[in-house]
């Protein structure tokens, strides 16, 4: 990615840059912001340049930056700007210094023709071309959002030959800024691994439940970690230790990713089935035995608030049982699940007592107490 920034800086000179710029029939910088021009990538012989361009293309696609990188396009090669296909004079502008749009824009608008004429020595007959370009830019900028602002600013600074200290760190912060405000890329990974489809509404509700299920920051954080794919799986580990991503439960799976480790492993089937039966007994209703409900915690909207609260606590405890057996070939048991849930119960009760909300606490936990009492006589419940 550092190379991409260096490509865009006209003041940056290096032998490798000169070589890479000559590999394509069009400027390599023009490809960066134009998805249609990126077909040139497939015809490249240099694996380093090819991989760099593919990585940048992935960043654009995953974070939906297509509408926001209009300023990085070259007016002479923009595949969506029809006039440049009919009028070769736009390519003559390159020799005069007009390449990327961001260099001739300010605050999302094209600079006036008078300024461009004076700065780049345009002629009077270029005015009509200017009007065509301004109209095109105005339309495109209407669809732009503030997503990826910091990352795009790096490219704009580079095009203007401004000094960028610690380019790699700045790139990292720019990419991090894209992921801090959206978990869509996480959703895509879960969907790909599990072959499932999670709507945006469902995804939003799933995250909302994670931050409302308990009074404990510790348990909320754990729920967040399990969804954000915090825990390292064999599939992840194989990228840096070169070992095959085999499931440690000896189930035979050769690609143990997050979906497999938490849900799809055959060793866990009995565990999930027992939890599923327990939940159906507790809530006295049919609950789908599927990952979207059992792992992600998406329950019907018509459920009472108290039931939504309780079921998400029970599911967090269920996932904690899996991490308690992390790297073990053994499956967690329903008794372990009950023990973990009881720990949460005790802490929730203390919190409710301190906040004078014991009545609400009793209402929320009533179904759990009724279920677990005959199964675990060693549990002690008071003031119920």
């Amino acid at each position: 990615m550092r190379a991409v920034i260096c490509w865009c800086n006209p003041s940056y000179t290096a032998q490798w840059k000169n070589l890479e710029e000559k590999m394509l029939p069009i400027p390599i910088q023009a490809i960066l912001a134009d998805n249609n021009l990126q077909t040139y990538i497939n015809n490249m012989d240099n694996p380093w340049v090819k991989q760099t361009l593919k990585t940048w293309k992935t960043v654009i696609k995953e974070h939906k930056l297509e509408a926001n990188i209009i300023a990085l396009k070259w007016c002479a090669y923009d595949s969506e700007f029809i006039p440049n296909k009919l009028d070769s004079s736009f390519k003559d502008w390159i020799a005069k210094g007009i390449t990327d749009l961001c260099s001739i824009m300010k605050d999302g608008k094209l600079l006036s023709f008078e300024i461009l004429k004076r700065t780049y020595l345009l002629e009077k007959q270029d005015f009509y071309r200017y009007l065509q370009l301004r109209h095109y830019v105005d339309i495109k900028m209407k669809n732009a959002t503030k997503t990826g602002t910091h990352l795009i600013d790096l490219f704009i600074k580079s095009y203007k030959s401004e000094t960028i200290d610690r380019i790699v760190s700045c790139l990292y912060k720019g990419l991090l800024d894209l992921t801090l405000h959206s978990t869509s890329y996480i959703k895509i990974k879960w969907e790909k691994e599990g072959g499932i489809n999670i709507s945006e509404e469902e995804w939003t509700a799933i995250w909302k439940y994670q931050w409302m299920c308990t009074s404990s920051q510790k348990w909320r954080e754990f729920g967040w970690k399990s969804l954000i794919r915090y825990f390292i799986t064999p599939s992840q580990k194989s990228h840096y230790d070169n070992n095959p991503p085999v499931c440690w439960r000896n189930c035979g799976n050769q690609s143990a990713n997050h979906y497999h480790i938490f849900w799809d492993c055959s060793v866990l089937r009995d565990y999930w089935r027992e939890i599923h039966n327990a939940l159906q007994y507790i809530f006295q209703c049919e609950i789908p035995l599927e990952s979207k409900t059992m792992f992600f915690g998406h329950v019907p909207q018509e459920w009472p608030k108290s039931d939504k609260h309780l079921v998400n606590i029970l599911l967090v405890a269920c996932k904690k049982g899996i991490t308690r057996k992390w790297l073990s070939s053994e499956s967690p048991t329903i008794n372990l699940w009950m023990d973990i849930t009881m720990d949460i119960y005790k802490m929730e009760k203390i919190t409710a007592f301190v906040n004078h909300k014991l009545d609400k606490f009793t209402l929320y936990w009533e179904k759990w107490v009724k279920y677990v009492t005959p199964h675990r006589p060693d549990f002690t419940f008071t003031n119920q």
Side-chain angles (χ1 to χ4, degrees):
M1 289 290 289
R2 181 181 182 277
V4 179
I5 298 293
C6 294
W7 286 338
C8 297
N9 189 338
S11 299
Y12 182 87
T13 57
Q15 188 173 359
W16 65 265
K17 180 181 177 182
N18 294 333
L19 292 172
E20 291 176 355
E21 286 181 329
K22 295 176 181 178
M23 290 181 177
L24 295 170
I26 64 173
I28 197 170
Q29 298 86 347
I31 297 176
L32 297 177
D34 198 319
N35 188 52
N36 295 324
L37 294 179
Q38 291 185 2
T39 53
Y40 285 98
I41 297 175
N42 299 326
N43 300 323
M44 295 202 66
D45 295 327
N46 188 313
W48 300 104
V49 177
K50 191 172 185 178
Q51 185 58 43
T52 301
L53 290 172
K54 282 188 174 181
T55 301
W56 173 240
K57 182 179 179 180
T58 301
V59 171
I60 295 173
K61 184 178 180 180
E62 285 192 1
H63 300 290
K64 301 177 181 178
L65 298 177
E66 291 86 351
N68 299 331
I69 56 176
I70 174 67
L72 305 183
K73 289 191 172 187
W74 282 39
C75 59
Y77 292 97
D78 187 346
S79 62
E80 295 180 323
F81 183 49
I82 305 301
N84 67 19
K85 297 178 177 61
L86 307 174
D87 188 348
S88 61
S89 295
F90 284 103
K91 290 182 173 60
D92 295 336
W93 283 10
I94 296 177
K96 296 182 179 182
I98 298 179
T99 54
D100 54 283
L101 291 176
C102 63
S103 298
I104 56 174
M105 291 175 64
K106 184 177 181 180
D107 299 328
K109 298 285 186 179
L110 213 60
L111 296 173
S112 68
F113 180 70
E114 288 73 17
I115 294 176
L116 297 184
K117 181 181 178 182
R118 184 171 59 253
T119 306
Y120 299 101
L121 303 178
L122 298 184
E123 300 177 4
K124 290 182 179 180
Q125 54 265 39
D126 288 317
F127 181 62
Y128 181 67
R129 299 183 185 95
Y130 168 81
L131 293 178
Q132 290 177 312
L133 184 60
R134 187 180 67 179
H135 176 70
Y136 171 76
V137 170
D138 288 345
I139 292 176
K140 287 295 183 180
M141 289 304 294
K142 288 180 181 179
N143 299 322
T145 66
K146 293 184 178 181
T147 303
T149 302
H150 296 307
L151 183 62
I152 295 171
D153 282 346
L154 285 178
F155 285 90
I156 294 175
K157 287 181 179 180
S158 184
Y159 269 122
K160 293 181 178 180
S161 298
E162 295 182 16
T163 302
I164 302 176
D165 296 324
R166 298 186 298 177
I167 293 178
V168 175
S169 296
C170 291
L171 277 170
Y172 176 75
K173 290 178 181 178
L175 293 170
L176 193 62
D177 181 63
L178 294 174
T179 59
L180 281 177
H181 306 292
S182 173
T183 56
S184 295
Y185 72 106
I186 299 293
K187 180 174 81 76
I188 292 171
K189 289 181 179 180
W190 282 117
E191 290 176 326
K192 183 178 180 180
E193 290 181 359
I196 58 177
N197 181 54
I198 304 174
S199 68
E200 289 296 334
E201 293 76 15
E202 291 171 337
W203 188 242
T204 300
I206 288 168
W207 282 102
K208 181 180 178 181
Y209 294 149
Q210 294 304 315
W211 289 105
M212 296 176 64
C213 65
T214 75
S215 303
S216 169
Q217 186 70 22
K218 169 188 171 182
W219 286 107
R220 290 181 182 182
E221 181 181 333
F222 173 78
W224 173 82
K225 285 181 176 179
S226 63
L227 286 183
I228 207 71
R229 303 162 67 88
Y230 171 85
F231 301 99
I232 298 176
T233 64
S235 181
Q236 286 177 305
K237 196 176 179 182
S238 66
H239 292 303
Y240 55 83
D241 65 6
N242 293 322
N243 289 324
V246 179
C247 179
W248 59 66
R249 299 190 187 103
N250 301 320
C251 66
N253 186 279
Q254 300 294 315
S255 182
N257 52 36
H258 281 86
Y259 191 82
H260 174 84
I261 291 296
F262 277 100
W263 173 258
D264 206 35
C265 181
S266 59
V267 177
L268 293 179
R269 285 176 188 167
D270 288 341
Y271 175 65
W272 278 114
R273 192 174 293 111
E274 286 185 282
I275 301 296
H276 175 253
N277 292 336
L279 294 181
Q280 291 196 129
Y281 182 88
I282 292 170
F283 297 102
Q284 293 295 300
C285 67
E286 290 291 328
I287 297 175
L289 182 55
E290 60 181 22
S291 59
K292 191 183 293 187
T293 301
M294 297 295 295
F295 177 76
F296 293 104
H298 181 67
V299 296
Q301 294 296 313
E302 60 270 16
W303 272 32
K305 182 179 179 181
S306 58
D307 286 355
K308 289 180 182 178
H309 180 85
L310 179 58
V311 74
N312 276 283
I313 290 178
L314 299 181
L315 292 177
V316 164
C318 178
K319 287 179 276 190
K320 186 62 177 179
I322 294 174
T323 60
R324 286 271 179 92
K325 293 291 184 178
W326 204 253
L327 300 181
S328 171
S329 60
E330 298 178 358
S331 169
T333 64
I334 194 166
N335 276 326
L336 176 60
W337 170 65
M338 291 179 184
D339 289 336
I340 295 170
T341 305
M342 190 61 181
D343 290 340
I344 299 176
Y345 170 88
K346 291 176 181 177
M347 293 306 299
E348 289 290 292
K349 185 175 182 180
I350 293 172
T351 303
F353 177 79
V354 171
N355 293 321
H356 305 287
K357 294 182 178 180
L358 276 176
D359 290 342
K360 184 178 180 180
F361 167 82
T362 302
L363 173 65
Y364 279 17
W365 284 88
E366 182 180 10
K367 292 182 178 180
W368 158 256
V369 174
K370 183 179 179 181
Y371 163 78
V372 81
T373 299
H375 291 85
R376 292 294 297 269
D378 54 314
F379 288 171
T380 303
F381 299 98
T382 58
N383 299 324
Q384 295 295 331

